Amino acid sequence: MFELISNLVAAFLTLSIFSFLYKDNPFYKFAEHLLVGVSMGYAIPLAYENVFIPFVYNPIFLERRFIIIVPAIIGILYLFRFSKNLSWLARYPIVIFMGIVGMSVPMSMHSSVLVQMRSAMLPLDNINTFLIFIGTITILMYFYFSKEHKGTYGKISNVGVWFMMVGFGASFGYTVMARMSLLIGRIQFLLGDFLGLIK
Amino acid sequence: MNFFDRMQNLDRRWIYLVVALAIIVPLLIPFNSKTYTTEPSENVYKMIDSFAGKDNKAILMCVSHDASTIAELFPMEVSVLRHCFERDIKVFTICFMPQSAPLVDYAINTAKEDFPNIKSGVNYCNFGYKPYSLFLPILLGMGDNIGEAVETDAEGRKVENLEIMENIRNYEDLNLVMDFSASGSVISWITYARVKFGVNVAAGITAVMAADNYPYLQSGQLIGMLSGLKGAAEYEKMVDVFAAKGKAFSKETINNTWIKITGNDIPTKFKKARIGMNAQSIAHIMIIVFIILGNIGYFVNKNKKKG
């Protein structure tokens, strides 16, 4: 019974969202607003249960670890973002958070720059590494703006543009595939789980 | 008004209708197509399979997506879990998004239905939802002691007391993290877990994210990758061909084996991505036809205006 009702609700909301493809209408608006509301309504109690209770309430009130009050107050400062006069207070937790993010800089340098550079420095013994070499050099030249892009330099940097276009094409192709997959997923639900037509 | 003029001025809703039919018809009338596996998917399979039957090895599945991308990522999660259950591989799951928590349960329950002997806390353990603010402390903490970093599982049990934790202490044992994500979260596992602890990282990602992650695959920082519905279909096939029959992976076998998706006893839940790929193929052909027609129409009209 529960499965039947949940499938009915899911099918109604799916069709409501799809109705936008014909034109904007109240069913679409209803489903859209419901999604936002349900997402927030689901996340808030879950965060309360999994964050506030174990990391704020229990340590302070049950375990008497009053030092927790300090980070709790720093966290509360985020809420001053909504005050016109006191919004500057929200900068303090942001500053602390940025400091933590800074910890990732050396490791990001390693994984996103150094290792990637090393993997681009390969012996030119096959067509793939040759293409990587040409692509890397010409794209770097395209993004070097201290020299005007004309003459031989312009032609070489133009090759970089072609490499980027191929990259964007690959990204776009994957995006089309992803969007189609989402549509397929919904139609699989409507035809299979809801109507039972897919065996 | 000739054919190309009409195509240029076609109401977009007709295109939606054609695309919808291109998807609905192959789903209602399924056909068998050969799923070819690619090296990134094979590498994920081989790495996970190398842990088969080993008490001191395990994998961690980090689920970082919500319901909007289950069409692509859910079949991957079910396939990987099925692989682990078939081959007696210890598997842990964790999520840092509130919306992912019910999806993890759903994936485990879907895969587990066919394995009555698989038990929570013994063969698998769901660490459950952990707040995103604990992402870094948990990720780094697991490098020293998983039990201390995660503390409790989704059922509220002390992780260190669970049977599955025997011989599993840190990343040296939990040697593969697989991130299922619709965002760039896999980069965080590479940046912190791989760089600092040398953990093997694999990705199960939506097709949109695939192009962004290929550089990490090429540099070897990702040991393998499942990209979108295609990646899920490939993994489903490998599990059917090898894990379900207790065989070791062989490139030759996978190339020569054609698992039919119609008229066999494989449950729909274990071939959902492959059924979806049929519709995907037809829809792609339709899109290519539309692009070609649109371009021909554009150039015909352009020449007409010039003339």
Side-chain angles (χ1 to χ4, degrees), chain B residues 68-89:
Chain B
S68 64
T69 47
I70 54 172
E72 290 180 278
L73 301 175
F74 190 73
M76 288 180 197
E77 291 152 11
V78 171
S79 297
V80 171
L81 282 165
R82 184 186 170 208
H83 183 187
C84 294
F85 295 161
E86 291 272 14
R87 300 279 286 152
D88 191 21
I89 297 163

Side-chain angles (χ1 to χ4, degrees), chain B residues 234-299:
Chain B
E234 291 175 21
Y235 209 91
E236 275 180 358
K237 184 184 175 184
M238 287 188 282
V239 174
D240 270 342
V241 173
F242 303 116
K245 291 173 184 162
K247 288 181 186 169
F249 179 86
S250 149
K251 180 80 185 170
E252 201 181 337
T253 308
I254 197 77
N255 278 343
N256 298 328
T257 309
W258 189 346
I259 297 265
K260 291 186 176 179
I261 56 169
T262 56
N264 62 27
D265 55 356
I266 302 168
T268 307
K269 61 184 179 183
F270 293 146
K271 56 183 178 185
K272 213 167 185 176
R274 280 172 289 176
I275 295 171
M277 275 311 289
N278 278 346
Q280 183 87 259
S281 307
I282 302 294
H284 281 190
I285 292 168
M286 293 307 302
I287 290 168
I288 291 168
V289 169
F290 279 135
I291 290 173
I292 292 171
L293 282 178
N295 275 284
I296 292 173
Y298 170 76
F299 284 110

Side-chain angles (χ1 to χ4, degrees), chain A residues 92-145:
Chain A
Y92 288 101
I94 293 171
V95 164
I96 291 169
F97 185 72
M98 290 309 290
I100 296 167
V101 170
M103 187 182 82
S104 73
V105 172
M107 286 187 263
S108 292
M109 278 291 289
H110 180 84
S111 62
S112 299
V113 181
L114 299 178
V115 178
Q116 291 307 124
M117 277 172 62
R118 187 180 63 199
S119 66
M121 298 173 194
L122 298 166
L124 304 177
D125 54 4
N126 63 54
I127 187 73
N128 286 337
T129 51
F130 183 72
L131 285 173
I132 289 170
F133 172 74
I134 298 289
T136 307
I137 297 293
T138 53
I139 291 172
L140 283 174
M141 285 174 81
Y142 174 77
F143 284 107
Y144 183 74
F145 296 117

